[in-house]
Amino acid sequence: MTSNLKLAAALCLLFLVVAGSALVYRNTRPPSATSADPATVLSATKAEDEGTEPVALPATPVLKNAAADPGLLDVAFGYKVGSTAYAYHLALAFAPDADKGSMTLATPQSQPVDAVTFPVERHFSESRKAYLIAVSRDLGTMTPAVPSLCVRAVVGPSKTGFDLTDASLCVMQRDQDGRCHPTTLACGLIR
């Protein structure tokens, strides 16, 4: 072999090793939980009297309900902790006129087995003139790892379907003792 041919063969081999290593790394690393769309990241909001109710709802983000069924709510949202924006998926389902339904929380990258589904109940809030669904969940088993959340969705005032005219979603970080921290409150609108 001539030296030029040996050099070309060595460069081809080096390219194959680098490209193969990149593919292996990309396919074996855990999925990133930091892929929240900036347009869906909830806005930090001040809580009223250190409670869970926001003093005022922010104008953005406006989360889009992806469900066509009036008894379903399906939104993607992001929650920022420091400089990291975690991506979540929230689904709510209620039969018409039912007080009890279900909520599913997941990450966009998670497998169906990692989604957390649990029963929820909606209560009419006189102050909001709508239905409030509030939960506190430990999401420590979710892959990829995301902060555990306290979730407050406000929808209504009808029970026959999700009226999103004044709907909102607020979340707070939840600690291991189940406490929700008002200083971490972030909210967005749902339409």
Side-chain angles (χ1 to χ4, degrees):
M1 260 193 210
T2 66
S3 61
N4 285 340
L5 193 54
K6 287 181 183 178
L7 179 61
L11 287 174
C12 285
L13 182 60
L14 178 64
F15 174 76
L16 288 174
V17 168
V18 169
S21 297
L23 284 174
V24 167
Y25 172 75
R26 189 181 76 181
N27 291 331
T28 59
R29 70 187 165 120
S32 171
T34 62
S35 60
D37 177 354
T40 68
V41 175
L42 300 176
S43 297
T45 308
K46 184 174 170 86
E48 191 173 89
D49 297 326
E50 295 304 310
T52 59
E53 186 74 23
V55 171
L57 289 170
T60 59
V62 178
L63 308 173
K64 301 295 182 197
N65 182 13
D69 185 320
L72 300 176
L73 179 69
D74 187 350
V75 295
F77 70 95
Y79 183 71
K80 199 168 187 179
V81 177
S83 61
T84 304
Y86 294 91
Y88 294 85
H89 179 261
L90 169 77
L92 285 171
F94 283 88
D97 293 322
D99 288 327
K100 296 183 182 199
S102 67
M103 179 185 285
T104 300
L105 279 171
T107 62
Q109 303 95 337
S110 66
Q111 301 300 316
V113 71
D114 289 327
V116 179
T117 301
F118 43 91
V120 291
E121 196 166 339
R122 58 183 167 185
H123 303 279
F124 193 76
S125 166
E126 286 296 332
S127 63
R128 296 293 295 273
K129 303 292 185 222
Y131 284 92
L132 171 67
I133 302 147
V135 295
S136 171
R137 294 306 291 192
D138 178 9
L139 303 176
T141 60
M142 200 171 283
T143 304
V146 291
S148 293
L149 297 177
C150 299
V151 179
R152 272 179 63 96
V154 175
V155 293
S158 170
K159 280 174 75 172
T160 58
F162 285 119
D163 177 354
L164 303 179
T165 305
D166 294 315
S168 63
L169 175 68
C170 292
V171 301
M172 292 173 279
Q173 286 183 51
R174 177 190 188 276
D175 64 23
Q176 293 191 357
D177 295 329
R179 290 181 301 218
C180 306
H181 296 278
T183 56
T184 65
L185 181 66
C187 298
L189 305 175
I190 306 172
R191 299 292 181 260

